[in-house]
Amino acid sequence: MVLIKTKKELTEHLSFAERKKSIGLVPTMGALHCGHAALVQRAIHENEVVVISIFVNPTQFNNKEDLEKYPQTLKSDIDLLEKISKDILVFAPTVKEMYSNAVRSENYNFYGLENIMEGAFREGHFDGVGTIVETLLTSVKPDKAYFGEKDFQQLQIIRKLVEIRNIPVKIIGCPIVRESNGLALSSRNERLSTTIRHEAAFIFKTLTSAKRIFGMESAKNVKDWVTKQYKKHPDLELEYIEITEATTLKPLVRKQKNRKYRAFIAVYADGVRLIDNIALN
Ligand code: PAF
């Protein structure tokens, strides 16, 4: 395991010889869990050199408190990665290294993908994600980069980013990893009490019911049904439930044959914001 702190060291490590090998990048914000481990394992399987970046990116947080509370656990992250493989590069730069003195985002046009759901509720979030992911992709120059489908909207935005910036990389989306009760793994789950973590399984439960109901009802009826379930729940507060076409993420108005749809949800559990999504057909 090599721990790299600067872009200069990164370039030195990814020397000419390494550049001839296939390179896989797994961008993360740390507080690694089994969902990240699945991405790393896939990257190891498909590439000769694997770089994991660990960087809590300040520009993608629209809420100062959320940034301050975001878990930073570099030592245990490295322990987890060492158990997977001793042969990976960990790139864990400081904010100054990544942004110099100007901690701000680029302004992107992601053709509307950025204006709904996470983009609507977290102003500037996707400009921050785009800025850091573009910097990582152009610094590491991987052949493939791996992202989890839990952040499905982010995944579509990153596919758009590489298209508009002409970055030669294959973006690989990997399935959501869940706890045994269905709760999608997230670094934010660390902030939940045992009771609330248990309660939060309700999110996946409502999504799987929504999938079943979607076979018989309109998108509006499904969303109304989900909204009603949260009104009855004492500990979980629904921020949004949306049903969209699966790639354009355009909200569904009328179902069409041969189109794929997906449901997206954001819920506050004891002040912790959790997101999830599910393929509906
Ligand atoms: O999904 C994440 O952890 C982050 O948004 C990412 C892609 C590492 C960018 O900071």
Side-chain angles (χ1 to χ4, degrees):
M1 160 100 31
V2 182
L3 178 60
I4 297 168
K5 293 273 188 190
T6 65
K7 288 193 232 171
K8 188 167 171 277
E9 280 175 82
L10 184 68
T11 313
E12 282 162 11
H13 274 281
L14 297 174
S15 62
F16 186 67
E18 298 296 83
R19 287 261 162 239
K20 286 193 179 153
K21 299 178 183 166
S22 56
I23 300 178
L25 169 67
V26 183
T28 81
M29 297 208 297
L32 302 182
H33 49 66
C34 294
H36 295 113
L39 301 180
V40 174
Q41 260 144 357
R42 177 140 177 212
I44 290 171
H45 185 71
E46 296 182 353
N47 300 276
E48 292 160 287
V49 177
V50 171
V51 180
I52 321 293
S53 64
I54 297 181
F55 179 65
V56 180
N57 172 36
T59 62
Q60 72 186 76
F61 286 81
N62 56 316
N63 178 328
K64 198 167 166 260
E65 196 188 333
D66 193 24
L67 171 60
E68 278 161 6
K69 286 192 176 161
Y70 203 86
Q72 302 229 26
T73 55
L74 186 60
K75 193 171 171 328
S76 55
D77 290 346
I78 288 173
D79 289 347
L80 183 141
L81 291 171
E82 288 223 297
K83 281 190 198 123
I84 300 174
S85 166
K86 300 221 181 304
D87 198 22
I88 42 189
L89 303 181
V90 179
F91 178 48
T94 59
V95 172
K96 190 149 198 320
E97 175 65 20
M98 290 313 264
Y99 283 98
S100 302
N101 290 323
V103 185
R104 58 171 179 256
S105 310
E106 293 278 316
N107 279 323
Y108 292 92
N109 177 359
F110 293 121
Y111 294 86
L113 285 171
E114 73 276 38
N115 297 329
I116 49 167
M117 300 189 290
E118 292 305 283
F121 285 91
R122 303 183 66 188
E123 213 194 321
H125 171 65
F126 287 123
D127 278 339
V129 170
T131 304
I132 197 64
V133 172
E134 184 171 2
T135 306
L136 288 167
L137 291 175
T138 49
S139 309
V140 177
K141 298 187 179 62
D143 298 279
K144 292 181 180 153
Y146 297 80
F147 299 87
E149 286 187 344
K150 186 177 78 66
D151 298 293
F152 195 88
Q153 187 178 5
Q154 167 177 281
L155 177 62
Q156 298 309 102
I157 294 247
I158 291 167
R159 291 191 198 285
K160 187 57 83 186
L161 171 77
V162 304
E163 184 192 316
I164 60 181
R165 292 293 211 238
N166 248 317
I167 305 173
V169 60
K170 191 164 180 209
I171 301 298
I172 315 272
C174 302
I176 300 174
V177 180
R178 299 182 180 280
E179 292 189 0
S180 56
N181 66 8
L183 176 65
L185 293 192
S186 162
S187 306
R188 288 193 163 84
N189 295 356
E190 296 304 313
R191 288 169 50 199
L192 303 173
S193 68
T194 317
T195 321
I196 296 289
R197 202 161 171 151
H198 185 71
E199 297 281 333
F202 188 77
I203 300 170
F204 185 55
K205 241 193 207 160
T206 48
L207 283 182
T208 44
S209 301
K211 179 177 178 144
R212 185 172 41 76
I213 300 168
F214 184 75
M216 306 168 282
E217 298 282 348
S218 67
K220 181 181 180 308
N221 286 355
V222 177
K223 289 196 289 182
D224 287 350
W225 180 85
V226 172
T227 306
K228 222 158 116 193
Q229 305 316 301
Y230 284 89
K231 286 213 169 108
K232 290 188 272 185
H233 201 292
D235 299 320
L236 302 176
E237 191 192 324
L238 179 68
E239 185 169 61
Y240 67 76
I241 169 79
E242 190 53 271
I243 294 181
T244 76
E245 202 276 327
T247 32
T248 61
L249 304 187
K250 290 223 163 69
L252 167 59
V253 183
R254 204 171 319 112
K255 284 185 208 173
Q256 287 178 30
K257 269 195 193 146
N258 307 323
R259 284 281 175 98
K260 295 273 177 229
Y261 299 109
R262 225 168 163 98
F264 296 84
I265 197 165
V267 170
Y268 278 94
D270 211 13
V272 181
R273 191 170 182 280
L274 302 172
I275 59 170
D276 202 348
N277 66 84
I278 194 168
L280 293 173
N281 59 346

